[in-house]
Structure formats: C-alpha cells, structure tokens
Amino acid sequence: MTNWKEIDRLAKSWVKEAGQRIKQSMKEKMTIETKSNPNDLVTNIDKETERFFIEKIQSVFPDHHILGEEGQGDKLTSLDGVVWIIDPIDGTMNFIHQKRNFAISIGIFENGKGKIGLIYDVTHDELYHAFQGEGAYMNNTKLGKMKEVPLEESILAINATWITENRRIDPSVLSPLVRRVRGTRSYGSAALELAYVAAGRMDVYVTMRLAPWDYAAGCILLDEVGGTYTTIDGKPLNFLENHSIVAGNPAAHRAIFDEYLPHE
Ligand code: 2AM
Ligand code: CA
C-alpha cells in the first residue's frame, strides 16, 4: 500500500528545503543558458534544484518515476505507478530578471490520477498545496470552492502573445474575450497563474503552450476547488503532452467555449 500521507509530508519538506537552497543560491552569480530559443532560459539553479528532488525521491522511493523539465529524470511513456512531474523553477525568465514571480511546481500522480499538488512561491513563502479528496490550501488557509463568476466580472490570465500575431491561434479569436472581461493579468509563471485561479485571485486562464511540468500541480489544485480545465479544443489533458489550456471556474470555462471558441 502506498503511504500517501508520508509522501505528502516528505514532498512538502523537500519543497521547503529546495526553496531555501534557491534563496541562498540567488545571492551568488548564476549561469544562464538558452535552450530551444533565445527566450527559453535555464540556469544552474534550475538544474541543481531538479537534481535535488531526484536524489531525495530516489533515496526514499526508488520505485517512483520522475518527469522533470530539465530532463534529468526518467523518459516516461506512461503514467503507470507513482509519477512525480516536476518543474524545479517555473517562470525562469522571472527568476532571472525579477527574482520573484517564480515557483517550484510538483504534481504527484498514481496511475494517472492526481494525488498531490505543490506550488511553492519561494520569494513570498506561499505554499499552495492540494491532497486529493482533502481540499487545497495556501499555507494553512483552506481555499474555498470556486465561485461561478460571470465573464464581465472575471479576471482573465492571458499572455499578450495570444492576442497578437503568433503561430498558434488567430488573434481575433481571443481579443473579444479580452475586451469582455473585467481585466487581464499575466504573471509569467503558469504554475502561479493556475494557483491564483484556484485561490480565486483570478477566474480563468487561457494559454496556448504548456508542458506537463507547467500545469500538472495546478490542475491537481483545481480538482480540489471545483475548477475545470481542458485544451482549447475542449479535450481532456494528457499529463505527458504539451497542451493549450483553458482553466477556470466552470461557468467562465463554459461561457468561453459557448461564445468564443469554435467547437462541435
Ligand atoms: P518555465 O519558466 O518553466 O519555462 C511563461 O510564459 C510560462 O510558460 C512559464 O510557466 C514557462 O515555464 C512556460 N513556458 C515558456 N516557454 C514554454 C514552452 N516553449 N513550452 C511550454 N511551456 C513554456
Ligand atoms: Ca522551468
């Protein structure tokens, strides 16, 4: 029998410890490299933090699988067993340029079902945490069930990329939605944006390009507060693939599909 309470306790303590290490490393000079393009950044701290988690997990749970953004974990083709999906630093551009608005994001799954979600905003010492069936918390405060907020009163999390010329969506699809809502925000960390939606600080999030480590933990938080998430085609997410995402309270999610996104 998998002891999920023990996994939860250790995961939380490792996330806090990793946060302390990141804070310490930030005081020193970091090495910045680019990955797929000049804006796709990684630092030595991203890699060291991922390695920290892999070593901790492997030392206690050698049969667990790990999918990490920096690729030092396993090459996974299925979500069978216990799988940790880890982004050691989500919002690396913020981490480098702003030294804030980044998070450690970890989703832990059992045979494809989200069990534990952890999003740790290191600079603000805010830990968003969900345990399947027991609700979601920000530090020690329980997050309430999501309210059904009409679009006119919603804050939409969206990056300006998706309402200007881009390769993934015609800007005319989402720009009327931007005009309709009360306001828009963009924080540059998908994990934090999903956590903010789960916490009711924003109501809906639309993005065209996320990897599993960006959204895994956030979706587990949303499950616990009654949030809805799909791809922009209205399909369920496969936690091993890159996806577009529409996530938010069920009413806003439905209204976006009924009024703005072409669907069957
Ligand atoms: P990262 O900082 O971990 O790379 C910012 O736009 C958000 O999108 C961040 O959560 C960032 O995660 C993620 N992101 C940036 N480029 C991406 C890409 N090419 N594919 C998937 N996610 C990306
Ligand atoms: Ca990252």
Side-chain angles (χ1 to χ4, degrees):
M1 257 288 278
T2 308
N3 185 344
W4 281 100
K5 285 290 169 190
E6 181 63 0
I7 297 173
D8 190 48
R9 187 184 69 76
L10 286 169
K12 267 191 200 152
S13 77
W14 294 338
V15 163
K16 288 284 181 122
E17 191 180 338
Q20 279 309 314
R21 292 164 67 107
I22 291 172
K23 272 190 175 162
Q24 199 54 41
S25 308
M26 281 164 74
K27 295 178 187 155
E28 293 151 26
K29 188 164 166 42
M30 58 176 110
T31 318
I32 302 164
E33 295 169 58
T34 59
K35 297 194 279 187
S36 60
N37 67 65
N39 300 329
D40 187 6
L41 306 169
V42 63
T43 74
N44 58 306
I45 305 173
D46 298 59
K47 292 180 193 169
E48 284 159 25
T49 305
E50 183 176 276
R51 178 118 303 275
F52 167 84
F53 283 112
I54 291 171
E55 281 169 11
K56 291 285 188 197
I57 296 161
Q58 286 178 343
S59 71
V60 186
F61 306 113
D63 56 329
H64 290 189
H65 308 288
I66 305 164
L67 176 65
E69 173 166 22
E70 308 314 336
Q72 303 168 102
D74 305 308
K75 303 273 170 278
L76 294 190
T77 51
S78 92
L79 285 176
D80 292 349
V82 178
V83 177
W84 297 58
I85 301 184
I86 300 180
D87 193 342
I89 298 185
D90 182 65
T92 300
M93 193 183 293
N94 291 346
F95 176 63
I96 294 167
H97 287 260
Q98 309 181 320
K99 301 226 172 352
R100 68 193 68 205
N101 297 326
F102 64 90
I104 299 169
S105 180
I106 299 184
I108 315 177
F109 293 76
E110 184 180 44
N111 298 321
K113 177 83 202 139
K115 297 288 293 184
I116 294 168
L118 292 157
I119 296 174
Y120 185 38
D121 177 341
V122 173
T123 37
H124 298 110
D125 192 25
E126 288 186 344
L127 178 62
Y128 299 85
H129 168 249
F131 191 97
Q132 188 208 359
E134 294 188 5
Y137 290 78
M138 197 286 280
N139 291 339
N140 294 320
T141 308
K142 188 163 191 183
L143 304 180
K145 286 280 170 204
M146 263 191 163
K147 295 199 178 70
E148 303 257 316
V149 183
L151 288 175
E152 285 75 14
E153 294 169 21
S154 289
I155 294 187
L156 165 67
I158 191 166
N159 189 307
T161 306
W162 314 126
I163 49 159
T164 52
E165 281 306 322
N166 71 86
R167 281 184 292 138
R168 290 169 202 265
I169 189 166
D170 180 340
S172 67
V173 174
L174 294 172
S175 51
L177 173 64
V178 168
R179 279 194 293 276
R180 169 91 171 271
V181 294
R182 181 168 275 175
T184 60
R185 298 290 182 273
S186 179
Y187 291 94
S189 156
L192 284 180
E193 289 173 302
L194 289 166
Y196 291 174
V197 170
R201 296 177 185 172
M202 301 198 286
D203 304 287
V204 64
Y205 177 42
V206 179
T207 182
M208 294 306 297
R209 179 197 59 188
L210 289 186
W213 40 81
D214 299 322
Y215 63 75
C219 289
I220 298 171
L221 284 173
L222 286 170
D223 284 339
E224 289 303 311
V225 293
T228 308
Y229 49 86
T230 61
T231 68
I232 202 136
D233 310 308
K235 301 204 175 81
L237 307 187
N238 166 343
F239 285 83
L240 289 175
E241 287 176 15
N242 288 6
H243 286 302
S244 57
I245 290 190
V246 180
N249 75 73
H253 186 273
R254 205 177 318 110
I256 288 175
F257 277 90
D258 286 348
E259 300 181 46
Y260 299 96
L261 294 175
H263 61 290
E264 285 129 40

